[in-house]
Amino acid sequence: MKKNPLILDGNLVANRIKEALKDRVDRLVQQGVRPCLATVLVGDDPASATYVRMKGNACKRLGIESKRVVLERSTTTEELIDVIQELNNDSSVHGILLQHPVPHHIDERAAFEAISIEKDVDGVTMLGFAQNAFGQAALPSCTPAAIMAIMDEYKIPMEGKHAVVVGRSPILGKPVSMMLLNRNATVTICHSRTQHLEQLVSQGDIVVAAVGKPNFIQGDWIKPGAVIMDAGYNEGNIGDCDYEACYERASAITPVPGGVGPVTIATLLKHTVDAAEKTSGKQQ
Ligand code: NAP
């Protein structure tokens, strides 16, 4: 009889990360440095506003300052870059998070590139990505780092395993592929032009879903015993994998909600504290 899969509990992993941060935040505060994350939201997309609020609240609960910058939807690329430059120059700010996606008329890449590498707590700059690809990023992208943190917490072997990543976005699919490669997995990256997707996914010992389409990865695509890391977060708290059907085949699976999401936020807090320690010269 098939054993039930291990449910990879993101809340548990997130709580461990946050618990480990408490002393570090206290020490910084005693030394006169309050770690501070600036979040920049352009426009009034309700989902983005919710994400930013969740991040701000998570900061507060840990004693991290949260500076919220909300800009009109009509903000130009130049105006947004000016705001980011101000935050770069503000020594009380240690991390900058530009909430993605920004309105279409803004050059998102140019805005991301304006974030200084020391404050790039979500690994969105090209330099941050390159450092990540070389295994040297101080602050890698949060969701990919969260996926790796969950696998490490549950001691999921990566070396020599075939990891199939579905999605190649600069903030998720690409960086997580590089991280898996750096851990000696053999990585296949799939995207919207991939042919025979189902066959490729069915070869994965590890499947990372980063597509942005609810219930997209089907249970009968999954190799029995595969590990499913579902980064998807779609309207109605639905992941990118058909959870019930994938559960039947997997040896381990992240739920949605309660999987990758909470660990992503905890990782953002960790990166903000990392950045605060580094820039204030008070590394532990
Ligand atoms: P994105 O920028 O829209 O990228 C989606 C990727 O999926 C693209 O690379 C796209 O391919 C690929 N794709 C789309 N349709 C496909 C198809 N039919 N077959 C194969 N590949 C296909 O999305 P993202 O920002 O990476 O986010 C992905 C998911 O993760 C979303 O559900 C998002 O909400 C979630 N997310 C969660 C967190 C978290 O904290 N849990 C954080 C960030 C994102 P092309 O490159 O060819 O277009």
Side-chain angles (χ1 to χ4, degrees):
M1 209 177 86
K2 184 193 169 287
K3 268 179 34 187
N4 284 338
L6 182 62
I7 309 291
L8 304 170
D9 183 347
N11 287 316
L12 179 142
V13 180
N15 286 338
R16 292 210 172 139
I17 293 171
K18 287 188 274 191
E19 202 52 44
L21 287 177
K22 282 185 181 156
D23 281 353
R24 291 171 63 191
V25 172
D26 286 349
R27 230 169 294 158
L28 279 164
V29 171
Q30 278 161 21
Q31 291 162 343
V33 178
R34 167 83 56 192
C36 174
L37 173 71
T39 55
V40 183
L41 174 66
V42 188
D44 50 9
D45 174 57
S48 294
T50 303
Y51 294 144
V52 166
R53 203 169 37 247
M54 279 163 64
K55 288 164 187 170
N57 291 342
C59 281
K60 282 199 192 115
R61 281 195 289 272
L62 219 69
I64 296 172
E65 182 85 32
S66 143
K67 186 182 172 103
R68 296 182 201 190
V69 180
V70 181
L71 302 172
E72 295 283 328
R73 187 174 185 79
S74 58
T75 304
T76 64
T77 303
E78 291 68 31
E79 286 164 346
L80 175 57
I81 288 175
D82 283 347
V83 168
I84 292 171
Q85 298 288 14
E86 271 176 40
L87 295 170
N88 283 338
N89 295 331
D90 182 343
S91 61
S92 71
V93 170
H94 303 101
I96 301 171
L97 181 119
L98 171 60
Q99 184 62 39
H100 154 94
V102 293
H104 290 306
H105 67 273
I106 291 179
D107 181 344
E108 184 176 84
R109 180 45 42 203
F112 278 151
E113 289 309 311
I115 300 173
S116 78
I117 186 75
E118 292 79 17
K119 300 190 181 186
D120 181 17
V121 282
D122 199 14
V124 294
T125 60
M126 288 195 274
L127 180 54
F129 175 81
Q131 289 178 347
N132 185 46
F134 280 80
Q136 309 216 344
L139 307 167
S141 307
C142 291
T143 306
I147 291 169
M148 304 305 280
I150 295 171
M151 287 202 282
D152 280 336
E153 180 73 33
Y154 284 93
K155 301 195 171 24
I156 298 206
M158 292 177 238
E159 182 159 325
K161 301 294 180 189
H162 186 183
V164 178
V165 178
V166 189
R168 57 170 169 181
S169 73
I171 54 149
L172 183 41
K174 269 185 198 154
V176 79
S177 300
M178 294 300 118
M179 286 167 152
L180 287 159
L181 186 61
N182 289 338
R183 298 292 290 271
N184 296 320
T186 302
V187 184
T188 298
I189 308 172
C190 305
H191 47 80
S192 65
R193 317 287 165 87
T194 295
Q195 295 185 356
H196 313 299
L197 179 67
E198 178 181 336
Q199 275 172 25
L200 292 169
V201 172
S202 72
Q203 291 167 25
D205 302 306
I206 299 167
V207 175
V208 178
V211 199
K213 294 194 167 157
N215 294 329
F216 179 77
I217 307 277
Q218 302 297 301
D220 58 5
W221 300 2
I222 301 298
K223 175 168 149 178
V227 173
I228 314 285
M229 306 301 296
D230 188 351
Y233 196 71
N234 305 291
E235 218 182 304
N237 279 345
I238 296 169
D240 285 350
C241 297
D242 180 347
Y243 182 80
E244 301 300 333
C246 291
Y247 178 95
E248 293 300 325
R249 298 258 192 139
S251 63
I253 186 164
T254 53
V256 178
V260 175
V263 189
T264 297
I265 294 184
T267 303
L268 178 66
L269 304 180
K270 178 182 175 296
H271 288 176
T272 303
V273 175
D274 288 344
E277 287 175 351
K278 195 161 181 204
T279 54
S280 64
K282 295 184 172 93
Q283 278 173 278
Q284 310 303 312

